[in-house]
């Protein structure tokens, strides 16, 4: 069936607001709309980029002056099996929709990112990770099968046993091989809508990493906040947030805590401010003095946790704290923010992260926010994940400093490469082709061979692909 698509000329941005492009945007509501758009673009010799919720920070879902297919309206839940915890969805279904459907039955998505706004298609295309990555693996490991609509118009069902090469390449394949049109996920059993959460304080990066490693023996989720202003011996000091699932009989009221109403009952004070106030109040926090002050405030309030034991928090509160503060990224306007997330093998991580933090401070570009996580490698073909740790850093883009900031991030990419690490494409805005080659090596050749096979005309692209990968192959 052919479906006429409205195409609008729009300016799209990455989530960090620092990258924008004028694109021709269509929002198909049925799979036939994607197939038609592929055929039409191929006839016209145009390119197509796929887009989910636009939560990638840089240019991963942009296609300047060409077509972008926003898949967020392909948002039906196709099947839910309460016995097995398997759910089949269209690609535009968000993580929020998934947990709302599964949690009341005692299942939680196996891997979730820091915001529930991302779509399942976008999560699979970037092979996203959660705070449980070191033991649960990446998002792709919870994907049992998917249908992939190829640029030829043909749909292939892929799993670990059927079209397995395409399965491991399309997971993390950034929408460059085909469009996911249906995905089946394995969710995980939970016995309560609450988790136990506890925070500890650590005076240096090595102390923080040691505590994180120690907590892996019992915690379900681990994430550390780092004081980016601390220097010298205290460089990389921070707070470690640890949480664990409740055992089967620990919650006396699971029927209540598993409900959507319980999960969404608390709204922090900031979320109750009139629309537009928060960015105005928070904007000074993105200035150099504001970054120093907010680090000091966070660290000082962290001292209080020394005396606070573990407490219960809802899954939504523990996993998506930023979702409760609508519009917080607006405080980074007008310049937006660039994020830099490097994944470094365990043995080199501490030295590389200290160099990254120190180099940023010396450049006068101290990041406004920093998060440390533990990871394990993934079998996805283009995977950034390593057996080690990642450091994600937010950099405000201040007037007149964008060039200097991009130069710094380029240098930080080299530090990551030198340590045998990788930059996460979903957060990237600065990788140069030679750096991508150095980090992803042979996997890039294998990925490109599959791209030639399944997308010989080069229909599918993005600004990120054009910037960081295509020049390596003369595409
Ligand atoms: C506040 C915040 C916190 C975050 N926390 C984390 C985190 O903890 N861990 C983590 O890993 N990431 C995290 N991210 C990044 C985010 O999870 C990824 O960028 C994710 O890919 C975004 O999904 P999306 O639906 O917005 O897709 P988009 O950003 O719109 O697109 C991402 C990629 O998916 C492709 N794509 C979209 N739809 C399809 C489709 N139907 N078929 C094939 N390809 C498709 C696009 O071409 C693009 O390459 C965070 C982002 C934000 C804003």
């Amino acid at each position: 069936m052919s479906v006429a698509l409205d195409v609008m000329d729009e300016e799209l941005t990455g989530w960090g607001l620092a990258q924008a492009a004028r694109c021709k945007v269509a929002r198909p509501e049925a799979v036939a709309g994607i197939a038609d758009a592929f055929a039409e673009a191929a006839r016209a010799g145009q390119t197509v980029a796929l887009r989910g919720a636009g939560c990638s920070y840089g240019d991963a879902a942009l296609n300047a002056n060409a077509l972008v297919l926003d898949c967020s309206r392909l948002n039906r839940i196709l099947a839910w099996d309460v016995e097995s915890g398997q759910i089949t969805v269209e690609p535009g279904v968000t993580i929020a929709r998934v947990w709302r459907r599964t949690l009341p039955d005692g299942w939680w998505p196996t891997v979730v990112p820091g915001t529930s706004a991302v779509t399942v298609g976008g999560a699979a295309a970037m092979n996203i990770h959660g705070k449980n990555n070191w033991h649960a693996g990446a998002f792709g490991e919870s994907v049992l099968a998917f249908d992939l609509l190829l640029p030829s118009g043909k749909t292939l069902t892929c799993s670990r046993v059927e079209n397995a090469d395409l399965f491991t390449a399309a997971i993390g394949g950034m929408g460059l091989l085909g469009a996911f049109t249906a995905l089946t996920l394995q969710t995980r059993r939970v016995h309560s809508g609450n988790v136990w959460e506890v925070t500890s304080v650590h005076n240096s990066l090595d102390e923080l990493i040691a505590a994180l490693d120690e907590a892996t023996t019992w915690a379900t989720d681990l994430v550390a906040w780092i004081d980016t202003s601390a220097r010298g011996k205290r460089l990389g000091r921070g707070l470690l947030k640890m949480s664990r699932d409740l055992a089967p009989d620990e919650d006396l009221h699971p029927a209540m805590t598993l409900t959507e109403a319980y999960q969404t009952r608390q709204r922090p004070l900031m979320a109750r401010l009139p629309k537009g106030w928060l960015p105005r109040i928070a904007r000074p926090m993105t200035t150099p003095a504001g970054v120093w002050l907010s680090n000091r405030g966070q660290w000082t309030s962290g001292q209080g946790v020394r005396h606070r034991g573990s407490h219960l928090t809802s899954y939504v509160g523990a996993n998506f704290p930023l979702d409760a503060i609508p519009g917080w990224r607006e405080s980074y306007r007008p310049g937006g923010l660039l994020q830099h997330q490097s994944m470094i093998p365990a043995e080199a991580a501490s030295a590389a992260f200290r160099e990254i933090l120190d180099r940023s401070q010396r450049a006068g570009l101290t990041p406004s926010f920093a998060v440390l996580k533990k990871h394990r490698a993934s079998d996805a073909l283009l995977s950034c994940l390593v057996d080690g740790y990642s450091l994600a850093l937010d950099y405000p883009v201040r007037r007149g400093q964008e060039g200097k900031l991009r130069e710094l991030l380029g240098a930080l990419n080299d530090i990551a490469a030198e340590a045998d690490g990788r930059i996460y494409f979903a957060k990237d805005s600065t990788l140069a082709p030679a750096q991508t080659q150095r980090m992803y090596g042979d996997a890039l050749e294998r990925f490109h061979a599959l791209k030639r096979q399944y997308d010989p005309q080069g229909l599918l692209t993005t600004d990120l692909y054009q910037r960081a990968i295509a020049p390596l192959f003369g595409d």
Side-chain angles (χ1 to χ4, degrees):
M1 189 181 63
S2 187
V3 181
L5 271 185
D6 284 338
V7 179
M8 313 288 285
D9 199 21
E10 288 179 26
E11 182 173 271
L12 294 179
T13 66
W15 197 87
L17 301 170
Q19 253 158 306
R22 286 223 74 86
C23 306
K24 298 177 196 325
V25 186
R27 296 185 168 82
E29 294 181 8
V31 172
I34 306 186
D36 282 358
F38 279 4
E40 183 57 33
R43 263 195 302 277
Q46 284 187 346
T47 59
V48 179
L50 298 162
R51 184 173 173 96
C55 289
S56 294
Y57 276 67
D59 47 4
L62 302 180
N63 194 16
N65 305 314
L67 188 61
V68 172
L69 290 181
D70 175 334
C71 300
S72 58
R73 291 187 185 165
L74 287 157
N75 58 8
R76 286 177 308 153
I77 294 177
L78 302 172
W80 164 234
D81 182 349
V82 66
E83 295 305 319
S84 64
Q86 293 177 8
I87 189 165
T88 302
V89 298
E90 288 188 327
V93 168
T94 59
I95 296 293
R97 289 271 318 283
V98 174
W99 78 253
R100 283 186 154 91
R101 185 75 180 84
T102 62
L103 191 63
D105 293 327
W107 300 87
W108 179 253
T110 309
V111 173
V112 297
T115 171
S116 62
V118 312
T119 66
V120 170
M126 282 299 177
N127 195 24
I128 65 159
H129 60 267
K131 302 189 240 313
N132 57 0
N133 184 230
W134 87 93
H135 69 95
F139 191 81
E141 288 171 62
S142 72
V143 178
L144 300 173
F146 55 75
D147 287 344
L148 194 71
L149 175 63
L150 301 172
S152 66
K154 188 173 171 187
T155 294
L156 290 182
T157 297
C158 305
S159 69
R160 285 181 185 79
V161 289
E162 195 178 358
N163 297 307
D165 61 339
L166 204 47
F167 183 85
T168 47
I171 298 282
M174 299 186 280
L176 297 166
L177 299 173
F180 298 118
T181 54
L183 303 100
T184 300
L185 312 178
Q186 179 65 60
T187 60
R188 70 185 179 87
R189 216 355 142 200
V190 294
H191 305 284
S192 166
N194 282 326
V195 293
W196 284 112
E197 197 171 82
V198 63
T199 303
S200 57
V201 181
H202 305 280
N203 283 309
S204 70
L205 184 60
D206 285 342
E207 245 191 57
L208 189 60
I209 290 177
L212 205 160
D213 282 344
E214 215 174 291
T216 57
T217 54
W218 61 269
T220 316
D221 281 5
L222 292 169
V223 63
W225 166 86
I226 285 181
D227 175 354
T228 55
S229 302
R231 290 164 185 259
K233 278 199 304 213
R234 297 195 175 86
L235 187 75
R237 72 180 180 183
L239 311 173
L240 175 62
K241 196 184 268 193
M242 305 162 273
S243 61
R244 79 159 172 83
D245 290 348
L246 270 65
D249 295 320
E250 256 183 297
D251 185 350
L252 299 179
H253 307 288
M256 191 245 313
T257 61
L258 291 167
T259 60
E260 181 178 337
Y262 180 84
Q263 294 296 319
T264 53
R265 75 199 187 290
Q266 279 171 340
R267 294 180 70 221
L269 181 64
M270 278 185 287
R272 283 180 255 152
L273 290 173
K275 199 166 176 264
W277 277 36
L278 176 73
R280 253 180 279 159
I281 294 169
R283 190 156 300 138
M285 292 300 166
T286 67
T287 63
V291 169
W292 185 87
L293 262 178
S294 88
N295 272 323
R296 184 44 67 100
Q298 184 95 342
W299 176 252
T300 307
S301 76
Q303 305 311 303
V305 305
R306 284 183 197 277
H307 312 292
R308 221 187 297 146
S310 67
H311 56 278
L312 290 171
T313 310
S314 70
Y315 271 89
V316 165
N319 283 285
F320 312 124
L322 290 174
D323 287 1
I325 313 170
W328 64 266
R329 69 172 169 163
E330 298 296 320
S331 56
Y332 284 91
R333 284 194 192 275
L337 74 151
L338 295 177
Q339 193 176 97
H340 188 268
Q341 185 168 12
S342 52
M343 308 264 173
I344 311 285
E347 57 286 0
S350 172
F353 293 158
R354 272 185 280 135
E355 198 179 342
I356 284 172
L357 289 167
D358 180 58
R359 187 77 79 92
S360 303
Q361 291 173 347
R362 280 194 284 118
L365 296 167
T366 302
S368 53
F369 192 65
V371 165
L372 177 81
K373 284 186 253 178
K374 188 172 169 77
H375 300 277
R376 79 170 190 214
S378 144
D379 62 359
L381 181 51
L382 270 193
S383 174
C384 64
L385 295 166
V386 296
D387 291 322
Y389 308 88
S390 74
L391 181 63
L393 302 167
D394 285 354
Y395 292 87
V397 182
R398 300 189 183 107
R399 213 184 295 278
Q401 289 198 334
E402 181 168 357
K404 186 176 162 194
L405 176 57
R406 286 183 172 276
E407 205 177 302
L408 170 72
L409 299 188
L412 303 188
N413 293 343
D414 285 334
I415 294 173
E418 198 57 40
D420 275 340
R422 290 172 179 173
I423 298 299
Y424 182 20
F425 286 121
K427 309 292 181 74
D428 172 56
S429 296
T430 59
L431 271 178
Q435 292 173 324
T436 318
Q437 173 73 62
R438 209 170 151 200
M439 293 175 187
Y440 287 85
D442 291 350
L444 276 177
E445 313 283 338
R446 284 183 279 139
F447 182 81
H448 193 257
L450 283 168
K451 182 154 175 67
R452 257 200 314 261
Q453 182 183 342
Y454 291 106
D455 184 17
Q457 257 189 276
L459 182 81
L460 291 170
T461 193
T462 61
D463 287 355
L464 185 155
Y465 181 70
Q466 292 303 324
R467 165 174 60 82
I469 301 175
L472 295 168
F473 299 100
D475 282 3

